[in-house]
């Protein structure tokens, strides 16, 4: 019988940490560091490690780049070997949402986006299930829709917007399969890794599985699925509450963090380079943890996570202090999870469990009010635990409680007035390409001028949830502008991008450590939903683009 522990250990020594990973990644054989950790092994992991040890001995521990390339060629297959061609069974040429779109060009675009689901589908070959140790991919039973480009596996938070898009496209079986994969992953790992690779298994991403189940259940009116999922949803919720909470201002609040050691395997060289600013191994290790916590937030990377010596957000990656910042949206999402779990228990008639989760939600809401709400700014703010003060910097997530319902609806009028004033003061409505993620120009991809689809969605839905005429009007304006700007980019390039440019109507984003990616899962999901929402009255002929002059009613 094979020693499974030793096999897993060897697999992790190749894909997650150790001298083989270090040697190959530092040789810079591939333009994108992620390429190597996605490659399949030609031999069992133990044999690969034995060969590597002999190889290092033979070359006196200093092999040349050519020799390392030769080692990789003889021991690894090119990336992508884990998948087989797949067309989703439930793909429909003409889902209902298309017929609700009046403008013919927008309708054609909606149809193109519906077609892209087929290109983004990935099904694993049987061998992955039989011999998972040869791969870095995490085996799952059902096919998935991936973000696209370099991202050829599932990503946790991306899947929320992808699944909603699939539901609007009536691809119920694919959407449900993706959720079932996640439920089985919670069973196996206790939580959901950042993405579908073993090298992502020290961290997660914003916990949106419960909201995915809620979306599915609302679309299909199928509460039985919610009840089947309940155990695992509770399990994931408890994972976050038990492993990711700290005390701030006397309240239990959640933060992003990571449980592994060393650089990110998929960006190994990049992390070694930035860690050069630190002299001790301990400081380097802290830096890696901050980077991985940033990746867990999904906003990798952003000045949002910088705290410099003066307690401000000016700086660079060496100032990352992700683990010392209490993020608004994470707590707002956990509140949402508790409320949804309570609702599912209520449906199931579990009175005690319903009350238990209502209480958990109420406690989180209290913490959000006390730690994040800021009267002076008029919105919620992240909290700096080092300097024990709020971080008054713009991020769309400052409005996250509106999206997840983590506010008292009886306060809507008051919140609406202050949030709209905040938006006005910061001139957030003045950007032709959408609301930027921050107002800081750092060159990092989650900073100015990049605009991210999930964050536009958060703002549009959040303002709408405020349910005041002014907030709803702005929500619709931003929704229309987002659709038109994405359409313009698509018209010019025939592509959907992972991020866009606030400064250019129809411009795509850039910056950060990898090239801007096309595809793109969450971008398509958001537009399919917005086309369904606005398609009846949205017209391209009236395509004047606001630069803020006709901003929401003042
Ligand atoms: O390889 C660098 C990083 O890439 C991922 O992050 C970015 O893409 C993800 C997929 O679209 C998205 O979920 C994330 O918000 C983006 O910043 C990956 O998630 C990171 O862990 C990885 O280090």
């Amino acid at each position: 019988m094979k020693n499974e522990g030793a096999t897993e250990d060897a697999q992790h020594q190749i894909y997650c940490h150790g001298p083989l990973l270090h040697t190959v990644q530092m040789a810079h054989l591939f333009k994108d560091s992620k390429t190597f950790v996605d490659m399949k092994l030609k031999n069992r992991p133990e044999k690969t490690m034995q060969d590597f040890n002999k190889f290092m001995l033979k070359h006196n521990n200093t092999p040349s780049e050519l020799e390392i390339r030769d080692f990789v060629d003889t021991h690894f297959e090119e990336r992508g070997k884990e998948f087989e061609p797949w067309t989703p069974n439930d793909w429909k040429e003409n889902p209902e949402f298309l017929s609700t779109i009046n403008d013919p060009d927008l309708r054609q675009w909606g149809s193109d986006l519906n077609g892209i689901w087929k290109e983004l589908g990935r099904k694993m070959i049987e061998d992955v299930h039989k011999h998972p140790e040869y791969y870095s991919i995490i085996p799952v039973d059902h096919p998935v829709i991936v973000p696209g480009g370099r991202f050829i596996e599932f990503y946790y938070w991306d899947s929320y917007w992808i699944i909603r898009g699939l539901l609007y496209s009536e691809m119920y079986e694919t959407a449900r399969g993706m959720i079932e994969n996640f439920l089985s992953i919670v069973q196996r790992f206790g939580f959901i890794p950042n993405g579908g690779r073993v090298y992502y298994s020290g961290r997660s991403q914003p916990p949106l599985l419960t909201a995915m189940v809620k979306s599915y259940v609302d679309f299909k009116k199928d509460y039985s699925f919610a009840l089947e999922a309940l155990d695992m949803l509770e399990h994931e919720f408890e994972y976050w509450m038990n492993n990711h909470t700290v005390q701030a201002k006397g309240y239990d609040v959640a933060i992003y963090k990571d449980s592994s050691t060393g650089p990110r395997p998929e960006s190994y060289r990049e992390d070694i380079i930035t860690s050069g600013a630190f002299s001790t191994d301990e400081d380097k290790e802290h830096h890696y943890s901050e980077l991985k916590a940033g990746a867990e937030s999904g906003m990798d990377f952003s000045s949002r996570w910088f705290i410099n010596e003066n307690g401000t957000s000016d700086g660079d990656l060496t100032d990352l202090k992700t683990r010392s910042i209490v993020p608004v949206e994470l707590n707002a999402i956990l509140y949402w999870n508790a409320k949804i779990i309570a609702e599912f228990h209520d449906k199931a008639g579990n009175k005690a469990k319903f009350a238990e989760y209502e209480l958990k939600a109420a406690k989180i809401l209290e913490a959000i009010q006390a730690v994040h709400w800021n009267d002076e700014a008029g919105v919620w703010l992240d909290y700096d635990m080092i300097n024990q003060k709020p971080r008054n910097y713009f991020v769309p997530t400052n409005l996250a409680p509106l999206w997840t319902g983590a506010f008292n609806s009886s306060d809507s009028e008051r919140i609406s007035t202050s949030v709209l004033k905040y938006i006005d003061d910061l001139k957030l409505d003045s950007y032709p390409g959408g609301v930027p993620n921050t107002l800081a120009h750092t060159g990092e991809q989650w900073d100015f001028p990049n605009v991210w689809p999930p964050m536009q969605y958060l703002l549009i839905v959040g303002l709408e949830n405020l349910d005041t005429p002014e907030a709803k009007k702005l929500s619709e304006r931003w929704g229309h502008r987002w659709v038109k700007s994405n359409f313009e980019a698509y018209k010019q390039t025939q592509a959907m991008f992972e991020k866009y440019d606030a400064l250019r109507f129809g411009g795509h984003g850039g910056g950060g450590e990898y090239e801007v990616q096309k595809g793109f899962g969450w971008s398509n999901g958001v537009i399919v939903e917005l086309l369904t929402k606005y398609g009846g009255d949205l017209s391209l002929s009236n395509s004047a683009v606001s630069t803020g002059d006709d901003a929401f009613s003042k």
Side-chain angles (χ1 to χ4, degrees), residues 106-151:
L106 288 179
R107 197 180 321 120
Q108 179 54 51
W109 181 40
S111 170
D112 291 358
L113 297 187
N114 183 53
I116 295 177
W117 295 134
K118 290 193 285 186
E119 290 166 30
L120 297 178
R122 295 286 181 281
K123 183 179 194 298
M124 287 174 201
I125 57 173
E126 199 42 45
D127 192 55
V128 172
H129 298 282
K130 284 197 188 131
H131 304 292
E133 67 278 12
Y134 282 69
Y135 304 85
S136 63
I137 197 106
I138 296 173
V140 284
D141 285 349
H142 304 284
V144 298
I145 302 294
V146 301
R150 70 198 285 271
F151 303 115

Side-chain angles (χ1 to χ4, degrees), residues 89-113:
N89 294 331
D90 54 350
W91 184 82
K92 280 190 182 166
E93 180 136 21
N94 280 306
E96 188 62 29
F97 87 88
L98 291 175
S99 63
T100 63
I101 307 172
N102 270 329
D103 187 288
D105 290 333
L106 288 179
R107 197 180 321 120
Q108 179 54 51
W109 181 40
S111 170
D112 291 358
L113 297 187

Side-chain angles (χ1 to χ4, degrees), residues 34 147 150-151 155 157-158 194 200 203 205 264 266-267 295 298-301 445-446 452 498 513-514 520 522:
K34 186 174 183 303
R150 70 198 285 271
F151 303 115
Y155 281 79
W157 79 322
D158 298 53
N194 175 148
Y200 283 137
R203 60 184 190 256
Q205 268 192 335
R264 287 171 299 154
E266 77 284 7
S267 302
M299 288 195 190
D300 43 328
F301 293 105
Q445 65 166 352
W446 286 86
W452 289 80
E498 65 172 341
E513 67 187 31
Y514 57 83
F520 195 87
W522 60 22

Side-chain angles (χ1 to χ4, degrees), residues 394-425:
F394 172 70
V395 201
T397 46
N398 289 352
L399 274 62
L402 302 180
W403 170 47
T404 66
F407 65 103
N408 287 320
S409 47
S410 55
D411 292 339
S412 266
E413 289 284 344
R414 184 179 56 80
I415 298 175
S416 177
T417 307
S418 69
V419 162
L420 291 177
K421 180 172 180 319
Y422 176 78
I423 290 172
D424 199 23
D425 288 351

